[in-house]
Amino acid sequence: MMPSIDATSAPFAYDGLDRVIHEKARLGLLTSLMTHPKGLAFADLKQLCGLTDGNLSRHLQVLQEAGLVDVIKGYEGNRPHTTCRLTRTGRRRFLDYLAVLEQLVRDAAKAAGKDQRSASRLGILPV
């Protein structure tokens, strides 16, 4: 087990940037599911995130194993139908992740300091 890093001695470690979430495709999947609390069909997720069937299946498996996503398989008529949605834990962890990401953006904007045009254009003025 890795020792935890003291945030005061390593303020830019950003331990809350969860590696399961931080991968580009999974970040897109979680964002899509966050905006659709009742869930999305596999085909809709595939289209929204620009993934192949295989890529989507693999990323959903990782998210499901981490307890972030429920994958519900069933049938609509005679056709197989897969629906995916965030779990309560998934929603909480994603919101925690976003809070750390927001802090990272604020820190970067503060470091840019003098370049107020860039920070204001991005809507990320330091607090």
Side-chain angles (χ1 to χ4, degrees):
M1 187 165 109
M2 296 202 40
S4 81
I5 296 170
D6 178 18
T8 56
S9 65
F12 302 118
Y14 304 111
D15 284 337
L17 290 181
D18 188 325
R19 289 187 180 271
V20 171
I21 296 172
H22 200 66
E23 199 284 328
K24 179 185 163 216
R26 292 192 288 268
L27 190 56
L29 289 170
L30 292 171
T31 301
S32 297
L33 294 172
M34 191 73 161
T35 62
H36 296 86
K38 293 182 180 179
L40 284 167
F42 184 92
D44 294 333
L45 265 177
K46 178 180 155 183
Q47 192 267 326
L48 284 169
C49 297
L51 297 171
T52 64
D53 286 352
N55 286 133
L56 178 53
S57 291
R58 180 64 187 123
H59 287 298
L60 285 172
Q61 181 183 8
V62 169
L63 292 170
Q64 189 175 24
E65 287 171 359
L68 304 179
V69 170
D70 280 331
V71 178
I72 303 105
K73 296 182 182 267
Y75 287 88
E76 277 188 2
N78 291 333
R79 302 189 73 195
H81 183 79
T82 301
T83 302
C84 307
R85 70 171 177 246
L86 278 178
T87 62
R88 248 188 212 132
T89 298
R91 181 177 176 78
R92 189 185 71 249
R93 277 182 56 189
F94 188 58
L95 290 172
D96 290 347
Y97 169 87
L98 291 177
V100 174
L101 200 55
E102 286 174 341
Q103 184 61 52
L104 182 148
V105 171
R106 280 194 299 274
D107 291 347
K110 187 176 180 181
K114 294 179 181 145
D115 191 6
Q116 289 295 316
R117 281 190 328 214
S118 295
S120 65
R121 179 173 45 91
L122 295 172
I124 52 169
L125 293 174
V127 284

